[in-house]
Amino acid sequence: MASTYGTLFRIMSFGESHGPALGVVVDGCPPNLPLREEDLLADLRRRRPGQSRLTTPRREEDRPEILSGVWKGRTLGTPIAILVRNRDARSKDYRDLRQVFRPSHADYTYLEKYGIRDHRGGGRASARETVARVAAGAIARKLLRHRYGTTVLGYVVRIHRIDASVDPETVTARRIEASPVRCPDRKATRAMIETIEKAAENGDSVGGVVECVARGVPAGLGEPVFDKLHADLARGVMSLPATRGFEIGMGFDAVSLTGMEHNDPFEVRDGSIVPATNRAGGVLGGISSGETVRFRVAFKPPSSVAGRQDTVDARGRRIDLTVRGRHDPCVVPRAVPLVEAMCTLTLADHVLRHEALCGPIRTRNRRGEAKPTRTGSKTKPGKSKGSRRG
Ligand SMILES: Cc1cc2nc3c(=O)[nH]c(=O)nc-3n(C[C@H](O)[C@H](O)[C@H](O)COP(=O)(O)O)c2cc1C
């Protein structure tokens, strides 16, 4: 279905950019997970418009209201409905776009498909819709962390032609959030800011690449053959607006290596069988290996630029277009929490699907603390892992 994502941890998002509100219903979240509105705020703030001069100046507080499914700070196991009201929509800025198709935006295709469209702020095609996924993703994040010790972190590795140098093994949330473009490489950050500012000054826009790492992912997630973990991660992140590419592990660079160069040899570490390197990106045969899951998502330069463009209106008349309204000259820094959200939603769904099929994942140490399953679920040398049922 068009606005539903997930099989067991399932979300349904609704709302338009300039409607009264956006929202999401999360169905399938297990009971007794500690959850408050404040838990959603951290990620929503990172997605929010108007957070710096490098993003759209639209000002939204994005305070989530949890309408159901939570009682006394804990999930009930019933559907969790969350509402985020729109406060700063300026629909008059879009009046001229009622009958006009912005080049490379969704105006033309929405009208072709539905025969009707809410042109205000891009309607349902607006990235404002992603507020719903980020709210839901924050719940998935809590579930993953609380139960399985899994953490998910995204950061910018490229803007336009500026590449960052980042070590995915050691990168921290602090380093990422210290950068206005969410790039943990300081030198690259400066060049990226300049690039975005220059594009904005020229009435233009730029794209880039977000990398995402999920650490402590239990081994065994993913359902071959059609619902392989990397296939579902790709589907999840490619449903975000403005995405143009997905790569896992070495991605497209793998083609320039030979098999000998690309293979991750197995070894025994701390009594468990593990790959010595992780060029695969933590997924083998569509199933998580217990290694860090690492993937990248490419975002195009956003289409609503202030520079003059040629287009036509719905009657085919030529239009000399200058897009008004408030727009992001580069969506990539704000896309980081979006990529994380689609990653946490996909992993949470696969965790529940894996447990439904194969039984509970062992994730707790003797003191009952959550810990990554990395060692707990690894195959011991000389032993078959066998079924983890019960
Ligand atoms: C965080 C974020 C912010 C965005 N902001 C804008 C924007 O201000 N102006 C714009 O034209 N597109 C923006 N986009 C992209 C459009 O939503 C997207 O290009 C449009 O819906 C067409 O879909 P497509 O690019 O996936 O084909 C944004 C995307 C993201 C992820």
Side-chain angles (χ1 to χ4, degrees):
M1 274 194 292
S3 292
T4 305
Y5 184 73
T7 302
L8 294 185
F9 193 101
R10 181 193 289 245
I11 67 163
M12 209 260 179
S13 111
F14 61 88
E16 279 82 30
S17 180
H18 287 200
L22 291 123
V24 65
V25 178
V26 180
D27 198 10
C29 180
N32 261 312
L33 181 73
L35 189 70
R36 297 185 182 279
E37 282 167 1
E38 290 67 39
D39 294 326
L40 315 182
L41 269 176
D43 284 337
L44 287 173
R45 284 201 180 116
R46 293 165 67 227
R47 193 218 73 92
R48 200 165 60 174
Q51 54 186 277
S52 83
R53 67 182 194 283
L54 302 171
T55 64
T56 164
R58 180 170 171 172
R59 299 210 81 84
E60 292 287 354
E61 211 189 327
D62 284 352
R63 270 212 91 84
E65 299 167 43
I66 298 180
L67 305 181
S68 67
V70 178
W71 189 57
K72 294 194 172 180
R74 287 192 173 256
T75 56
L76 289 166
T78 56
I80 304 169
I82 302 165
L83 202 68
V84 178
R85 291 180 200 276
N86 288 324
R87 305 266 186 215
D88 186 30
R90 277 195 219 152
S91 301
K92 67 173 173 15
D93 288 352
Y94 289 83
R95 207 177 293 142
D96 296 347
L97 290 176
R98 187 178 285 226
Q99 298 294 333
V100 173
F101 303 134
R102 280 172 293 173
S104 295
H105 212 288
D107 309 332
Y108 170 74
T109 46
Y110 265 59
L111 191 64
E112 274 295 297
K113 182 175 177 66
Y114 299 107
I116 180 170
R117 107 188 142 92
D118 180 354
H119 66 285
R120 301 166 307 158
R124 182 83 178 138
S126 164
R128 184 100 193 101
E129 175 273 324
T130 60
V131 76
R133 311 169 191 228
V134 171
I139 301 175
R141 188 195 288 281
K142 261 216 116 166
L143 176 72
L144 290 169
R145 194 181 185 121
H146 194 255
R147 275 221 193 157
Y148 309 97
T150 307
T151 57
V152 172
L153 207 56
Y155 45 88
V156 172
V157 290
R158 181 175 184 142
I159 284 180
H160 196 43
R161 292 180 190 140
I162 314 291
D163 281 307
S165 166
V166 186
D167 179 355
E169 294 301 324
T170 56
V171 63
T172 62
R174 228 171 118 205
R175 283 294 290 272
I176 298 163
E177 293 305 314
S179 159
V181 288
R182 299 208 162 89
C183 172
D185 176 341
R186 274 198 211 128
K187 198 166 157 222
T189 289
R190 285 194 290 274
M192 287 171 176
I193 292 172
E194 262 175 45
T195 302
I196 298 173
E197 287 179 339
K198 201 163 158 213
E201 270 166 38
N202 294 339
D204 213 343
S205 66
V206 284
V209 178
V210 173
E211 183 162 86
C212 187
V213 287
R215 297 171 177 148
V217 176
L221 307 191
E223 305 210 332
V225 290
F226 295 115
D227 295 347
K228 291 178 176 171
L229 186 61
H230 59 300
D232 278 0
L233 285 168
R235 179 173 164 328
V237 294
M238 290 299 289
S239 73
L240 291 167
T243 46
R244 284 301 179 268
F246 173 87
E247 294 185 318
I248 184 145
M250 293 293 288
F252 278 55
D253 283 346
V255 299
S256 58
L257 302 179
T258 65
M260 291 289 287
E261 289 164 341
H262 181 257
N263 288 349
D264 297 312
F266 283 105
E267 64 177 21
V268 176
R269 211 187 303 148
D270 302 331
S272 297
I273 294 174
V274 290
T277 51
N278 186 17
R279 284 182 273 269
V283 182
L284 295 168
I287 301 173
S288 59
S289 65
E291 295 304 297
T292 297
V293 172
R294 182 164 70 96
F295 62 88
R296 282 170 299 284
V297 192
F299 288 85
K300 73 178 193 182
S303 58
S304 298
V305 291
R308 283 170 63 170
Q309 302 177 80
D310 290 333
T311 190
V312 298
D313 67 10
R315 287 161 68 186
R317 290 177 302 202
R318 281 202 55 185
I319 303 284
D320 189 4
L321 177 69
T322 308
V323 177
R324 297 201 307 155
R326 296 162 292 173
H327 296 280
D328 292 280
C330 178
V331 305
V332 187
R334 288 182 63 211
V336 169
L338 276 49
V339 170
E340 291 175 358
M342 292 319 295
C343 179
T344 57
L345 288 167
T346 306
L347 292 178
D349 190 40
H350 271 286
V351 154
L352 298 189
R353 289 166 72 172
H354 179 68
E355 292 197 328
L357 187 70
C358 301
I361 296 167
R362 284 181 280 127
T363 55
R364 300 198 167 262
N365 63 22
R366 282 195 208 103
R367 278 168 289 162
E369 295 158 344
K371 67 176 175 76
T373 50
R374 199 185 147 96
T375 47
S377 65
K378 284 288 175 184
T379 306
K380 299 282 178 214
K383 281 190 218 160
S384 159
K385 194 162 29 166
S387 164
R388 285 195 301 275
R389 264 171 214 286

